[in-house]
Amino acid sequence: MTHKVWFQTAVAIILTLVIIRLFIEVQGVFSPLFVVAQTIFLPLLLGGVLFYLTRPILQFLLKRSFPKWSAILLIFALIALLIWLFYILIAPIVSEQINSLMDNGPEIIERAEEYGQYLLNQREHLPDSVREQVNNLTGQFTDWAANIGSWLGSFLMGLVSGVLALVLVPFFLVYILIDHKKFAPFIAHFFSGGRKTWIRKTLHDIDETLKSYIVGQLFVSLAVGTMLLIGYLIIGLEYAFLLAVIGVVTNVIPFLGPYIAVIPAMIIALVQDPIMVVYVAIIMLVAQQIEGNLITPNIMGNALDVHPLTVITLILAAGNIAGIWGIILAVPFYAVVKTIVTNLYSKREQIEDTATKEV
């Protein structure tokens, strides 16, 4: 019986739950480790993202016989140039539109409340069944708004602390660029034979998965933001550049990001001219169709073949567990776990095929 798959799986689950329970009971012992992990989490995350974005440049320079240190210094010079260009070209426009939005904020909120109250008053003219559904949706919308507010609050708090931690990012990036090729051999040297080969292959697949996600998601976000900016400028929507930047940022969240980005755009459009809401919806629909049917398949391919329903479930669950960071990291974490499980299943099939041939 001990050789049965269901028995081994049940034992593994039980042991995992016991370990989790023991970890919860003695978590106070590990509190210093949690403090250290929280301190280095954001710099390490940003350093890892920059590593995947700059590694192709490093490989290109190394193939051109550049010394590693000179190649890394050139990469940092390119990053500094991009930051400077953002500061002189984009930051002033965003800052101006933010200041204008803050000045007009009370008026926008007041008019949005008027429209909302008008729509709520129309419920009395609806059939009872429809009115009940509207009331349920109103309550759910209130809960969602509260959750979004808490997520935004935690995100802003994390952003403030993250700015202070940005000093560590260059150090993490330097060491990752220098020593990234040593990681897989270091892990693999603890194993031998077929296990060592499997570890190396699994680490390579994880690396490819993360690269596909990070580079692809950044390109998709920039592409969607550019399309939104062009559309908003064509229809003459106020705060077009700021709303497009919001679209770029929220597109970091897979699948749901574009729908979150359209909410502030529709509020601004409603206050500016109610017919603009239709135009904004059309722009978002066109951008979504181009992104979903043209950009994402060609950029990411099948590296992250995750069903949309799975993405929604992951984001909602991770948001309740870990807030805004859970929402951002849920899909890549799932993709990594899926890669590991896929390799485990392939290894198991290989062992079974070998055993069958030997018999």
Side-chain angles (χ1 to χ4, degrees):
M1 186 178 68
T2 57
H3 297 288
K4 298 292 185 179
V5 175
W6 65 267
F7 181 80
Q8 296 174 354
T9 303
V11 171
I13 293 174
I14 292 172
L15 289 176
T16 301
L17 294 176
V18 170
I19 293 172
I20 293 174
R21 180 62 182 177
L22 292 174
F23 184 79
I24 293 174
E25 291 295 332
V26 298
Q27 60 180 334
V29 178
F30 300 99
S31 57
L33 297 178
F34 285 127
V35 173
V36 173
Q38 290 175 356
T39 303
I40 68 173
F41 169 72
L42 184 59
L44 183 60
L45 177 65
L46 293 177
V49 170
L50 288 175
F51 162 70
Y52 279 106
L53 295 178
T54 57
R55 184 172 61 175
I57 302 175
L58 177 66
Q59 293 173 344
F60 174 81
L61 293 175
L62 293 178
K63 288 180 180 179
R64 298 299 184 276
S65 300
F66 275 76
K68 181 173 285 189
W69 273 106
S70 62
I72 292 174
L73 290 175
L74 183 57
I75 288 173
F76 273 85
L78 291 174
I79 294 175
L81 177 62
L82 291 175
I83 294 174
W84 180 72
L85 290 174
F86 177 85
Y87 179 76
I88 65 172
L89 296 178
I90 300 177
I93 301 175
V94 175
S95 177
E96 179 184 355
Q97 293 193 357
I98 289 176
N99 292 331
S100 176
L101 183 61
M102 295 295 291
D103 293 337
N104 299 324
E107 180 183 355
I108 294 174
I109 293 174
E110 182 180 354
R111 293 192 61 182
E113 288 179 347
E114 291 177 359
Y115 282 115
Q117 189 61 44
Y118 172 78
L119 293 175
L120 290 177
N121 292 337
Q122 301 308 308
R123 292 181 299 178
E124 306 300 328
H125 304 291
L126 298 174
D128 293 338
S129 58
V130 177
R131 189 188 313 163
E132 182 179 354
Q133 294 298 325
V134 171
N135 290 333
N136 293 335
L137 289 175
T138 303
Q140 292 177 8
F141 180 79
T142 303
D143 296 337
W144 293 339
N147 290 333
I148 291 174
S150 63
W151 291 339
L152 289 177
S154 61
F155 176 75
L156 292 176
M157 291 295 292
L159 184 63
V160 173
S161 61
V163 171
L164 300 177
L166 287 178
V167 181
L168 299 175
V169 174
F171 296 97
F172 281 104
L173 179 59
V174 167
Y175 285 108
I176 294 174
L177 288 173
I178 293 174
D179 296 331
H180 67 276
K181 290 187 176 180
K182 299 178 181 179
F183 178 74
F186 172 76
I187 299 297
H189 92 277
F190 293 102
F191 304 88
S192 61
R195 289 191 180 93
K196 185 173 185 176
T197 303
W198 181 85
I199 289 292
R200 293 294 296 265
K201 178 183 181 301
T202 302
L203 291 175
H204 177 268
D205 291 344
I206 292 173
D207 179 63
E208 290 296 319
T209 298
L210 291 175
K211 181 184 71 174
S212 299
Y213 179 81
I214 292 172
V215 177
Q217 196 65 36
L218 178 64
F219 186 87
V220 168
S221 297
L222 292 175
V224 172
T226 302
M227 289 187 289
L228 293 180
L229 177 61
I230 294 172
Y232 292 161
L233 291 176
I234 290 175
I235 66 175
L237 183 65
E238 296 178 352
Y239 314 108
F241 206 97
L242 177 60
L243 294 172
V245 171
I246 293 174
V248 172
V249 174
T250 56
N251 265 273
V252 174
I253 304 173
F255 193 77
L256 294 181
Y259 299 101
I260 298 175
V262 79
I263 295 175
M266 283 193 167
I267 294 174
I268 298 297
L270 182 65
V271 174
Q272 182 178 344
D273 186 353
I275 192 62
M276 298 282 282
V277 174
V278 179
Y279 300 152
V280 169
I282 293 174
I283 291 170
M284 178 56 68
L285 179 62
V286 172
Q288 277 294 95
Q289 291 300 312
I290 295 176
E291 180 267 327
N293 297 314
L294 183 61
I295 298 176
T296 298
N298 289 310
I299 296 300
M300 292 189 180
N302 295 322
L304 297 176
D305 187 16
V306 184
H307 194 276
L309 183 59
T310 304
V311 173
I312 296 174
T313 305
L314 287 170
I315 290 174
L316 293 178
N320 289 325
I321 295 172
I324 188 67
W325 289 115
I327 293 174
I328 294 174
L329 300 177
V331 174
F333 178 78
Y334 171 81
V336 170
V337 173
K338 181 181 177 182
T339 300
I340 296 173
V341 172
T342 301
N343 279 272
L344 283 171
Y345 184 76
S346 299
K347 181 66 175 177
R348 182 179 179 83
E349 283 189 331
Q350 180 183 354
I351 293 173
E352 289 180 349
D353 291 341
T354 303
T356 302
K357 291 179 181 178
E358 290 177 354
V359 171

